[in-house]
Amino acid sequence: MTAFKRLDTGGRIDRSRTLTFTYDGQRLFGQVGDTLASALLANGKMVVGRSFKYHRPRGFLSAGIEEANGLFTIGEGNRAEPNIPGTMVPLVDGLVARSQNAWPSPAFDLMAVNSLAAPLFGAGFYYKTFMGPFKKSWMFYEPFIRKAAGMGKADAAKDGARHDVEYGFCDVLVVGSGPAGLAAALAAGRAGAKVILAEQDAEPGGSLLSESGDTLERWRAATLAELQALANVTLLVRATAQGIYDGNQVVVSQHLANGQLLHVVRARTIILATGALERPLVFSNNDRPGVMLASALRSYLNRFALAPAARAVIATNNDSAYATAFALAEAGVAVTIAEERAVPAGDLLAQAAALGIAIFPNAGIADTLGGNTLKAVRLKGRHSVTIECDVLAMSGGWNPAVHLTSHGGIRPRYDEAIAAFVPGGFADGQFGAGAMLGHFGLLAAVRDGEGAARSALTRCGISKMPAAVEPPAVRDDRAYGIAVAADPFAVTVPGKAFVDFQHDVTAKDIKVAHQEGYHSVEHLKRYTTLGMATDQGKTSNVNALAMMAALRGLTPAEAGTTTFRPPFSPLTVGALAGRSVGRHFRPTRRSPLHDWNAKNGCTFIEAGPWMRAWYYDWAGATPQEAYVKEMELVRKGVGLADVSTLGKIDVQGPDAAEFLNRVYVNGFAKLPVGKARYGVMLNDDGLVLDDGTTSRISDTQFYMTTTTAQAGEVMSWLEYLLQCHWTDLKVHVSSLTDEWGGMAVSGPDSRKALQLAFPDAEVSTEALPYMGVKDISFGGTTVRILRLSFSGELAYEVHCPANFVTALWEHILKAAAPLGIKPYGLEALASLRIEKGHVAGLELDHRNSLDDLGLGKMAAKEKPYIGKELRLRENMQAPERWSLVGLELMEPEKKLRGGSILFAATDEIKGHGRGYITSVTWSTELGKFIALGLYNGGLRHEGEEITAAFPLKNEQVKLKIVSPHFIDKEGARLHA
Amino acid sequence: MAKGYSVFSLLRHALKPDTPWGLAWEKPTPKSSYDVIIIGGGGHGLATAYYLAKNHGITNVAVLEKGYIGSGNVGRNTTIIRSNYMLGTNTPFFEFSLKLWEGLSHDLNYNCMVSHRGQVVVAVSPGQLDSMARRGNIMRLHGIDAELLDRGEVQKLLPYLDYSKDARFPVWGAIHQPRAGTARHDAVAWGYARAASQLGVHIIEDCEVTGIHMEQGRAVGVETTRGRINAGKVGIAVAGHTSQVAAMAGLKLPVESHILQAFVTEAVKPMVHHVVSWGAELFYLSQSDKGGMVFGGHIDGFNTFTQRGQLFKIQDVMQCAVSLMPFMSRMRLLRHWGGIQDMTPDGSPFICRTPVRDLYLNGGWCYQGFKATPASGWTFAHTIAHDSEHELNRDYSLDRFEKGGELDEHGTGNWTYKQ
Amino acid sequence: MPEVMLAAQSPLESVSAFTARDISIREEAGFTLTQVAGFGKAFERPLAAAVGKLPAKVGALQVNEAFTVFRTGPQQFWCVGDVPPQGLPGECLVTPLTSSRCRIRVEGALARRLLARAAAIDFDARSFKPGHFAMTGIHHTPVLIHCVGDNAFHIYAMRTFALAVWEWLVDAGEGMVA
Amino acid sequence: MRIPCPHCGERDVSEFRYGGDASRQRPAHGTGDLKAWHDYTFTFDNPKGPHTEHWQHVLGCRQWFSLNRNTATNEITGVVE
C-alpha cells in the first residue's frame, strides 16, 4: 500500500496525456501537469533520497523551490545536472531522473551505517579531531571525509545545453505571479508601463495554483488573459529572479527547452511579490518520509490530485494549515489535527467539527514512528496518544520570502506578530506586496499588488493611473492569523529533531554550538553548516536563529539574522556565463593579413587577444626549426613580416609636439617633419609604461606607434591626460590600430625589394635615411614608408590603410620574388630583436625603470616629462639594481632557458640570485644561444662569466655577460 | 575552560552526551587597560595576539572586534594557501607562513583542515610559462617545492580542463606547488581565538573602536563602543577598513579599499583534487572538503565598501570557470559574496611601525591575506613586541614607495594610481 | 611595370551572410568613414559646408544628402558617405577611418531581440527608433549601432574584431532560430 | 551598477574604465617636487562615503568625466560638470 493515491477528479493535471519517464532505471508514468515530485509520489516513491551526513531516508518535504530532500540528477550524458529539486522539474516525456547520495538505492542505502556513529558526528566534530598524530595528519583523513561529502556527481563532459544572456529594460519588473504579483502586473500594465512579470513556476498563479474552487481559478484565468493581451507586458515562466544588483539590475534565469536564458533586466522599479515559505516544526524524527509541510500537502492535493491513502495528521501552531485539513477532509481523508496552541479560533473549530476532524489542542508531535516511511505519530503533552497515519503535514508558521530585498544590503526586521522576518526596508525603486511583507490573505495580496503598482508608476513618472483591479469574489479572506505558541521554536526536543534537513543539522547541534560559544548567527551557520546546503536554508534558517536566540535569552529581533545573498536559488554557472565560453570566451583579434596567412602555410599563436603569425611552413614544420630559417632569411636576404598588431595613434593639433614632449622621456618638440624617433614613456611612478616609434607627419600631426600589448593602455592614458588634466592643450588623439596595417621589409636586400615594389618611389638612403618617413601614393591609396628596424638589419616598415594591406603584401611578395623574399613570423621577429638587443614585452613588464633597461641616457636632462620625479627615487637609482645585459652561452652542448636565475661565478646557488633571463634565442649570426637578462649592476660586469640556474630541471650553465647588442654595434647595417 | 580536543575527548562526549563542551574561547568583559590592544578580530589580529602570548610572553592583550570574530576577510576568502612568491622578503615570508600552516592544527589543538593538495597554475603561452619558470626557480632556490609541467603532464593531473580546439586559450603547461593547498577558513579564526584565549588573551566581540587616543605623538589607548581602553601599544589589523582606522591617528596610507568577490557551488562528489589557477585571466578554484567548488577572480576594479559585487564581474568569473573547466557549466552556484580588500599600489602588504609611536600597522593584504595569516601574526607580534621589524617583514614598510622599493608580484595592486 | 591597383579586402571575406526566417546578418561594405574633430566651435562651420548639417549633441545623427553625420564626441564627428568629404580646412582635424570599421547589417523581425542578446542597451522599438544610434560594446569590443529601419541596423565594428563580432552575432542568431 | 555618461546616457558599468579619485590635485607638470608626486601617486583618502572619481566611457564615446559616488552604498549622485 502506498501513502498517496491519485484522485480521479480535480487538480491541474491532464489525465488524458500520459508521460513516460525513468527513475533510477525504472520506467514510470505520469501526467501532463505533474512535476517529477508529484509523479514519484503518485508512483508510490516515498523515499527519494538520503541525507548528507547520516544517510537517513528522506522523502519530499515541500512542493516548491524550498525542497531540501528530494534532489535528483536530471538528464543524461552532457545534459545531466546534479542536485535538482524534483519539485521544480515539470514532467516531460522521456525525462531521466536518478537519485543521489545513496548506494545501492535510496530505499536501501548501505551508507546508513553512518547513523550508528551519529553521536560522534555532532556539530563541529571535525574541528576537534584528525589533528594527529603527525603534523600533516589531515592529509591522511581528508580523502575519506571528502568521499562522504557532496550529494550528486558532476559530469566531466562539455555542457550539451545552450545558454544565452538577454538584456532587458522595463518600467516595472514584477517578481512572482501569485495574487499580489498578478494584481501588480495588471495595474502597471493597464497604465501603459513596460512590464515584465517573472514567475519561477511553469505556470503562473503562485499560491492560487494550490487552492481549490472555481472562483480563484476564474480570477486567475481572466487576469492572465488580460495581461497576455497587453503588448507592453511580458510574462516569463520558469523564470526565477535570482538577484538584485546595483542600479536595480535583476538577474532572471529562465529555463528553456534547450538551455537557459539569463535575462539581465534593468528595471526602473521592482515589485517583489515573492510570497512566503512555510516553516517546518522541529520534533523528534521529523524527517521521516511521509512528513511534509502542510502547504506542500495542500499543493499535492489541489494541484496534483494526490491524496494521502487514508489518514493524515496535521501538526500546526497557526491557522494556515486548517485549509489543508479541510481540503483533505473534503477529499475523504481521515484527518486529525495536533494543535500546539491551547485554543484555536472558534470558526475553525466549528468547520473542523462539521468535517469530522478531530483536534487535539496543546498537542505537539513527540515523535514519529515507522521504518523508512511514516506509520504513525505520537503526540506530546497529556494526550501522549499514538495515531496511525500515511502523512504528517506540519506548519510552523510562514517566512516571508524577503531574500531579494536584502541583496542590496538591507537587513530583514523581525516581526513579533507573525514570528518571522519581514523586509527591513526597500531600496530606491523597489516595492513589496502580499505575503512577502507579512501580509497574509488573498485580498490583502491583491490590494498590496495594486498599491505597489501605483507607487511604482509614480516613481517612473507615469501619471496615468490604471482602473482598479477587481479582486476575486471570495468571501473568506482569512489572514493566516499566526498565533504562536509559547515555545514555537522547541529548543528542548529529545531525539533526532532536524532543523536543516539536507545538512542533517539537529536541534541538539544548535545547543552544542551555543555551549561552545558560537553564538552569532554567522558563527552558528558556519560551525554547524546550517543553511549551507542546496536549499540555502529556506526552511531552516529562521527556526535555527530563533532557537539560538532562545538559548541566549534574546528575542530573535535582538539576535538578528544572517545576510541573504544571491542567487535566490542555485543557478548554473553556465547560465551566468552565457555564450562567452569556449572559443567565444574572449573576442579574437585578427590582423588584416589573417586570411592570407591562414591560406599560406602560417601557424598562428595566441598573443593576448590577437592571433599572430607564429611561423610559416616554408621554413620548417616546428617553430624551433622554422624561426632559425626565417632569421637567416632576414639576416642574408629579405623577409616580410606582419606588424599590423602594433598600436597606432593619430596625434593631431597645434600642441601635438608639446604634448608628446611631455609624455615621452626624450625630446619630441624639435622632431623634423618626415622623421621618426624612438620614444619611451613612463607612468607617474617612474616605471616604464611603453615604447614605440613616433613620426612627424606635419607640424601639427604625429603618427605614434605603441607595443601591441600596451596599445589600449597608452590610448586611455593619453586621453586621460588631455581630458582630465591638460585641458589647455589643443591636441586630439585617435586610435589608428584598426585603420592602418603594416609590414616589416627587413634584410640587406630590403631596399632592393622596395625599389622593385615601388619603382616610382625614391628610397635611396639619401632620400630616405635611417628613421626617415615618407608617404607615397600607390595603387590607389596612401602608403607610408618608415625606415625603421627592429631586427638591426637595413629594414623598412610599410604601412597602409588596412583594407589594402593584403593586396600590398601580395604585391611586395610578387615584385620582390626575384630576391627570394618570403614571409617570417613572430618567433623570428622576436628572436631578431634579441640579437639586436631591443627590449620588448618580456622586459617591459611594469617592474623596470628606464635605467634598468639601459635606456637611462635617453631621458632629457632639463625638460620635464611624466615620471621624471619618481624615477629619481633612491632605490630606483641604486647601482645594484638589476639592469639589461646580453648573455652568451659558454657551454654549447647545453640548453639555455628563459626564466633562469643568474648568479656570479662564485655565488652559492640559492636565494634570489643576481638577476634572471628574460628572453632566449639561437643566434644565427653567432652560432650559439644568446639571451637578454637583467643583472645586478648590469653592464658593469661585462665580460664576466656567470652561472644561470634552472633548478626546475636541475640545470646550470655558464654564461658570459656581453653587450645586449649582439650584432652590428656600430649600426652600419641600419644606416646602409 | 575548553578542554583539549582529540578523538578521545570526542568519544567521551559521544558516550556521555550530557556533559557539554566548554566555550571555545572565553567571553570576558574588557579591562580598563592592556599592554597591547589589537584592533580587529580577524585571522591576522587573532594570530598576532596568539603569537604575542606564545612567542613573547605578552599575555595582557585584548583583541577588539566590532562584530563577531572572523567576520571579515578570514571568513570570506577562497581558502588558498601557497608560497609561490619571487620578490624580496615575499619569498621567505610566505614560505614561513606555509611552514606554520603545516603544523597549525597541531599547534592550536584545533583542526583547521590544512590540506596540502597542491596548486597548479596553468600557463596559456610560452612566454607565460617562462615567467612561471622564473618564479618556480626562485622558489626552488629557497628550498620551496615547485615543478614545471608540460601540457601532457597537466592533462594527467587535471583531466577536466578544456584541451579541445574550442579552447580560446590553449594549455601550454603549468607550474605546480605540491605543498600548496587550502585550509578551512573559519576554523583558522576559531582555532587562533581558542588558543589565544587559553593563553590569557581577551577576545572582545561587539566592541568597535571609534577613536585612537594619542598623547605626545604616542598611541595610548582607544575609544570603543564599550568605553575607553588604555594600552601600552596598539596594533591595527583591520584589512578592508585600514584607511578608516589609520585616519583615527591622522595617517593617510597607500591603500584603497576594493571589493573582491568569491563564489561557491553546490556540493558534488570529489572531482577537483588541486587548487587550480589560470594564466589567461586571474581565476582560481578548488573543491572544498564539503564538495562545493570555491572560486574567484579579479577585484571589481573601483573602490567600494559595499561588500556586494558587480554583475559583470560575476559573469566574467563564470566565463573563466566554464572556459577553463567545461564541467563547471552544469555546476550550480549556491552563493556569492564580497570581501573588502586593502589594495596597495604594488600589491604587497604592510607589517610595520608607523609614524605614530606605539602604533603598529598590519594591512594592505590585497588578494593574499588568508595564506599569510600565520606569518603575518608571527611577524606582527615580533614587530610590536620589539618595536622593530622581523627580517621576514622588513620589506613591508610604509615608506617603501618614497624610496622606490615597490614589491610588485603582479598579484596586482589597485592600479588606478596609474591614472 | 603595369599600373598596380590595390584591391580592398574585407575582414569578413571568409564568411557568408547568415539568413534565417526572421533574421539576416550580412556585411554591407562600400562606404567611407571620415572622422573630423576640432577645438571649440570654429571647425564646425567649414565642416558643415562640406558635409551638410551637423547633429547638435553626442549620440545624435544627421542624414544629409551625401553624408550621414554622427556626433561621436563633444567635438568629434563621423562622416559616412560614398566618398570622403573634400576641401576641409586646417582647423578640421581629419582622420580617415574607412578601413578601421566593418559594417554589418542585422535585419528582420528578430533583429531587436538578437541585439538584446549582444549589447546591454535598450533596443525596444519605442526607444531605439530609426535614425538613432548608440556607441556601446558587443562581445567586449566597441561598436556603433545605427538603427536604419524599423527592424534594420548597421553595426560598425572594429576591423580587427570584426570576425569575432560577426561570429558572436551569428551564434546568437543560430540560438534564436534553433 | 549603472554609470551616467554625460554624453551617451546611462550605461552598464562594464562599458567604462575607472580612473580613481578625481579630487586629488595632480602636481604641476615638471614641478620637480618628489614628495608631492609621491603623495599624489601613492596615497589615498579612500573615504567610506562621498567620493569624486574619474571614469572613461571606453566602449562608447571614450570621454573621461568625473562623478560623485558614495563608496559606502555605490549610490551615484551625479556627474561633476
Side-chain angles (χ1 to χ4, degrees), chain A residues 83 142 159 571 586 873, chain B residues 281 289 329 332-333 401:
Chain A
N83 299 348
E142 188 183 37
D159 195 345
L571 173 60
R586 294 292 178 257
R873 286 177 290 162
Chain B
E281 288 188 20
D289 284 341
S329 184
R332 299 203 300 167
L333 189 69
F401 299 103

Side-chain angles (χ1 to χ4, degrees), chain A residues 242-304:
Chain A
Q242 298 284 15
I244 301 181
Y245 298 87
D246 284 341
N248 275 355
Q249 291 191 90
V250 188
V251 164
V252 179
S253 66
Q254 185 178 26
H255 284 275
L256 303 177
N258 59 349
Q260 290 188 64
L261 181 59
L262 196 80
H263 300 268
V264 176
V265 180
R266 164 67 174 106
R268 294 172 71 194
T269 62
I270 303 166
I271 296 175
L272 298 167
T274 45
L277 298 169
E278 200 169 19
R279 281 199 296 258
L281 290 165
V282 181
F283 49 83
S284 181
N285 293 308
N286 59 346
D287 65 328
R288 200 181 300 280
V291 181
M292 62 172 56
L293 295 169
S295 57
L297 184 56
R298 185 145 89 251
S299 193
Y300 287 121
L301 179 70
N302 288 332
R303 181 171 176 185
F304 300 108

